[in-house]
Amino acid sequence: MLPVLKQQVPLPSGAVNTALNPRADAAASPRHSYLPDFTASPNVLVLLVIAQTFAFMLSLMRDYSAGGYLQNLGQVSLLTLWLAVSSAWLLALARPLFAGFSVALSSALALAIVLANTALTSEVVYWFGQTYGDQHLTGPASIFPAQRGVSLLRNLLIALVVTAAALRYFYVARQWQQNVEAAAESRIRALEARIRPHFLFNSMNTIAALTRSDPKAAERAIEDLADLFRASLGKPGEPVSLEQELDVARVYERMEQQRLGDRLKVDWQIDNLPLDMRVPGLTIQPLLENAIYHGIEPLDRGGVVTVLGAMTDGMLTISVTNPVAPAGQYRKHEGHQLALNNIRQRMELAYGDRGIFEIEQLADTFRVRIGFPLPA
Amino acid sequence: MMRNGLHTVLIADDEAPARTRMREMLVDIGGWSVAGEAANGADVLHQCQQQLPDVVLLDIRMPGMDGLETAAHLARLPVPPAVVFTTAYDEYAVNAFDAQALGYLLKPVRRERLLRALEHAARISRLQVEALGRENPELGARQNIPVTKFGVLTLVPLSNVLAFVADQKYVRLLHYADGALRESLIDEPLKQLAAEFASDFVRIHRNSLVRITSVDQLTHDDAGHYSVRLRGFPHALPVSRRHLAELRLRLKQ
């Protein structure tokens, strides 16, 4: 047999790509430390306000029976503000180093930087007090210490407690922000996965035709369409049972059957699956939609879409296979990747790297396989 | 062509319910006669040659050859019908039509809109369809060559074509079909074919046009006559001196 011109469909690079590499996108941009960027202007103001409040607290805790409150407040404020600003500046300088460090390591490093800064500052303060200290500076309410060691230890302990509390706060705030972002993203992705407009308008046209020729079929088609849109417009991102998701896919198949007639056949091989297992909604139906839109519709005589469900190694896998029209026979319609990327992203959001999303493209078939890990 | 004093319409859609609906609406409107129904592009071409309809209601998304390419073929017919595109939802195509002010109907089609489109159909001339192809080459370019053998029209995908060789009155199309090399006659001027498929084919002689990627080797005999061998084709094709330079250039690219 002679080779058919240009028909050896070039396999796209990485034809079989196992694509649930969790942080593939994130790896490109450096992972940010949970520490905020202290050089951003709102952060600087907040830092100054907090430091000054803390200085008030510290100076209120003293005994002023001998007077000197204002002197102490001034000195404590000066010391606290200096420590806060200089530590923040040092942390901002060191911030690029923190990228990629674990939380424990970057916390320890931040703590070390602040403590070293505190120790150095305390030494300078002690030296200043010793050199220039007069009655005025070193009264009973003064921060200039008489004994070097006690003062140093006291300053370090205060810095330790305050810094540890601040780090804990930053960490929790960051976690909370990430959770909010992840929830928002999964909701957006789920919205994108909704049934596509071409399907709605095609279905409406089919129903318009059936209304006269077969009113009963038209009635059923409207009920089916209502069910589909109820599933599609329902709570985005909520998990549903496998049974519900398969039902949606079957109703979808019934609608397309009305339109495409004999050209569409779907071979369901889905026995013995855990029907009450929870899966992200609209993951299986879009695979079927994709297979019909890009696989069956461009074929003159249509073909068979195979939906195969299996339980292997603590994993529920669903694969959807469709025939592909020979190259050159039809115009390529883009948008293929869009729907598939959406499913891949949602599988990642739901399961991280525990899920499966694979695309296998051969000369005459196209197959997508997704895997849902069983709950532990 | 008028039939019993009525204008004739060909309905082209790959979905049976869509064709049924269009037929029923044409009956409701009255004044139009349905010349036939077609489910794919090749069928549309074939029926247009047989029935000579006045208007074709042409679905854009059809298997094999889509509505846009079908329209490009229709525009080359000796008696081209007016074309009204129909589509359920096709952002890109609809945008292209907006730019061209070509007629299209959105499905489900309203009776009034269908009537208006049919009445205006005559204004969508062949020139406008050709302009659509010129300005959006990816929309209107032919991906298939229609071949009529014993009154049956088949489409040869362009990617299966090895060469066009002019032979007195006709052009011989060398192409693969079912894995074997075939030869078919087509009735299109070589000059137009050369212009239309210039990106994939190169002129090697006054009478022949070959697929650039199929050229296996360029040889010359003692007398200095050049010829090319095509992959999978047993005979050498002569290269004229006039086209030698361009062939060499294209082979290098």
Side-chain angles (χ1 to χ4, degrees):
Chain A
M1 196 171 120
L2 286 163
V4 177
L5 287 181
K6 226 182 169 182
Q7 293 254 55
Q8 300 100 331
V9 176
L11 287 175
S13 55
V16 181
N17 59 4
T18 312
L20 262 202
N21 178 7
R23 297 285 156 242
D25 303 343
S29 64
R31 211 170 79 209
H32 287 299
S33 153
Y34 70 92
L35 289 172
D37 177 12
F38 290 110
T39 53
S41 54
N43 290 347
V44 174
L45 184 67
V46 170
L47 185 77
L48 291 178
V49 170
I50 290 174
Q52 187 56 59
T53 311
F54 185 67
F56 272 122
M57 253 171 60
L58 277 183
S59 61
L60 280 174
M61 282 187 286
R62 284 211 172 186
D63 174 20
Y64 295 110
S65 45
Y69 171 67
L70 283 179
Q71 184 200 19
N72 179 267
L73 177 64
Q75 291 177 355
V76 168
S77 298
L78 196 63
L79 181 61
T80 314
L81 285 172
W82 164 255
L83 277 176
V85 171
S86 60
S87 299
W89 180 70
L90 287 172
L91 286 177
L93 277 186
R95 197 162 182 262
L97 289 176
F98 287 27
F101 281 7
S102 70
V103 170
L105 192 56
S106 54
S107 304
L109 196 58
L111 215 52
I113 287 173
V114 174
L115 289 182
N117 185 33
T118 308
L120 187 70
T121 308
S122 301
E123 284 300 289
V124 171
V125 167
Y126 172 76
W127 169 80
F128 189 87
Q130 291 297 311
T131 314
Y132 302 102
D134 56 6
Q135 186 58 34
H136 216 62
L137 262 182
T138 53
S142 160
I143 62 161
F144 292 96
Q147 304 132 307
R148 182 180 184 179
V150 172
S151 157
L152 180 64
L153 189 64
R154 199 181 59 157
N155 284 350
L156 283 177
L157 281 174
I158 292 175
L160 179 70
V161 171
V162 171
T163 310
L167 288 177
R168 174 69 193 162
Y169 165 77
F170 292 141
Y171 178 72
V172 170
R174 172 74 174 205
Q175 288 290 96
W176 176 79
Q177 191 193 1
Q178 277 176 342
N179 285 344
V180 169
E181 279 170 4
E185 189 179 347
S186 79
R187 215 160 29 238
I188 289 166
R189 299 286 168 232
L191 282 170
E192 285 173 358
R194 284 177 173 179
I195 288 166
R196 294 173 212 297
H198 66 81
F199 170 75
L200 172 65
F201 294 115
N202 276 325
S203 300
M204 288 299 189
N205 196 41
T206 306
I207 290 171
L210 289 173
T211 312
R212 289 198 206 186
S213 59
D214 190 349
K216 283 214 170 98
E219 194 178 349
R220 200 174 54 236
I222 290 172
E223 290 160 1
D224 281 350
L225 200 58
D227 277 351
L228 278 177
F229 276 83
R230 200 167 287 125
S232 184
L233 303 176
K235 294 186 184 113
E238 296 261 303
V240 298
S241 72
L242 178 63
E243 186 172 20
Q244 281 172 297
E245 181 60 16
L246 287 173
D247 275 350
V248 169
R250 276 188 188 277
V251 172
Y252 179 81
E253 178 208 354
R254 206 154 60 216
M255 285 301 302
E256 293 290 62
Q257 194 78 64
Q258 287 284 356
R259 189 165 70 86
L260 298 170
D262 296 340
R263 281 162 66 201
L264 173 64
K265 284 189 185 62
V266 181
D267 180 13
W268 295 93
Q269 301 181 18
I270 48 166
D271 298 331
N272 305 322
L273 296 183
L275 291 176
D276 51 353
M277 183 178 158
R278 310 295 277 181
V279 297
L282 297 184
T283 39
I284 300 172
Q285 179 272 335
L287 290 183
L288 184 62
E289 183 172 350
N290 216 48
I292 293 173
Y293 188 74
H294 296 285
I296 302 301
E297 281 192 53
L299 288 171
D300 228 344
R301 298 195 179 85
V304 182
V305 175
T306 307
V307 182
L308 176 67
M311 293 293 298
T312 38
D313 305 332
M315 181 86 87
L316 163 69
T317 61
I318 303 278
S319 73
V320 177
T321 311
N322 62 267
V324 173
Q329 285 280 31
Y330 73 105
R331 217 177 284 272
K332 274 234 181 292
H333 288 268
E334 295 307 322
H336 204 82
Q337 289 306 321
L338 226 63
L340 292 179
N341 272 342
N342 174 277
I343 302 172
R344 179 178 59 79
Q345 285 167 340
R346 288 195 300 129
M347 291 293 286
E348 267 175 32
L349 285 168
Y351 300 115
D353 56 356
R354 292 177 304 131
I356 293 177
F357 182 93
E358 285 176 354
I359 295 173
E360 190 182 353
Q361 184 160 23
L362 300 173
D364 54 355
T365 57
F366 186 86
R367 191 174 67 126
V368 182
R369 193 167 78 107
I370 56 176
F372 308 92
L374 291 181
Chain B
M1 189 191 271
M2 302 279 277
R3 187 190 285 173
N4 304 327
L6 299 176
H7 285 289
T8 50
V9 185
L10 180 76
I11 302 169
D13 200 307
D14 60 319
E15 296 164 19
R19 292 195 302 269
T20 308
R21 176 166 153 80
M22 209 56 103
R23 183 183 275 273
E24 283 169 350
M25 290 182 71
L26 286 167
V27 170
D28 288 353
I29 288 172
W32 294 82
S33 162
V34 177
E37 292 183 11
N40 59 56
D43 204 9
V44 173
L45 275 188
H46 182 67
Q47 292 206 39
C48 281
Q49 286 170 339
Q50 307 286 314
Q51 314 274 345
L52 305 179
D54 296 304
V55 180
V56 178
L57 291 169
L58 189 56
D59 184 28
I60 289 173
R61 227 183 112 80
M62 286 193 296
M65 183 168 76
D66 68 14
L68 299 166
E69 194 190 338
T70 305
H73 285 282
L74 289 176
R76 288 160 197 272
L77 292 179
V79 189
V83 171
V84 177
F85 289 108
T86 63
T87 183
Y89 185 83
D90 205 330
E91 294 163 278
Y92 308 107
V94 166
N95 287 342
F97 297 137
D98 278 344
Q100 297 290 326
L102 257 176
Y104 66 91
L105 289 167
L106 288 171
K107 297 190 281 188
V109 178
R110 278 179 194 278
R111 193 180 303 184
E112 312 86 70
R113 298 234 172 95
L114 176 61
L115 186 59
R116 204 157 57 210
L118 287 173
E119 282 168 353
H120 290 198
R123 290 191 206 166
I124 300 159
S125 68
R126 161 158 60 162
L127 289 176
Q128 276 169 299
V129 174
E130 281 176 356
L132 175 77
R134 257 203 317 280
E135 289 177 32
N136 305 280
E138 75 282 8
L139 286 183
R142 294 192 297 172
Q143 308 284 323
N144 300 275
I145 309 291
V147 172
T148 311
K149 238 180 211 168
F150 310 119
V152 179
L153 186 144
T154 51
L155 292 170
V156 175
L158 187 64
S159 56
N160 285 3
V161 176
L162 200 60
F164 300 91
V165 182
D167 193 3
Q168 298 186 5
K169 209 178 154 211
Y170 292 97
V171 168
R172 279 157 56 209
L173 185 71
L174 304 179
H175 66 96
Y176 287 107
D178 308 320
L181 192 63
R182 299 276 165 84
E183 221 179 276
S184 307
L185 294 183
I186 55 173
D187 189 10
E188 294 187 48
L190 198 66
K191 197 178 161 193
Q192 273 183 25
L193 293 167
E196 186 175 359
F197 304 124
S199 59
D200 292 330
F201 288 81
V202 63
R203 196 76 173 255
I204 58 164
H205 192 271
R206 184 169 41 82
N207 71 0
S208 47
L209 199 61
V210 300
R211 176 179 288 280
I212 194 78
T213 52
S214 296
V215 174
D216 195 23
Q217 49 179 328
L218 176 64
T219 54
H220 62 91
D221 59 17
D222 298 338
H225 296 300
Y226 281 83
S227 59
V228 290
R229 289 199 163 271
L230 300 180
R231 233 163 268 130
F233 186 61
H235 309 291
L237 293 170
V239 178
S240 69
R241 292 205 173 274
R242 233 183 98 204
H243 295 102
L244 185 61
E246 202 208 331
L247 175 64
R248 281 198 166 133
L249 190 72
R250 293 286 299 272
L251 282 174
K252 262 184 216 159
Q253 285 165 359

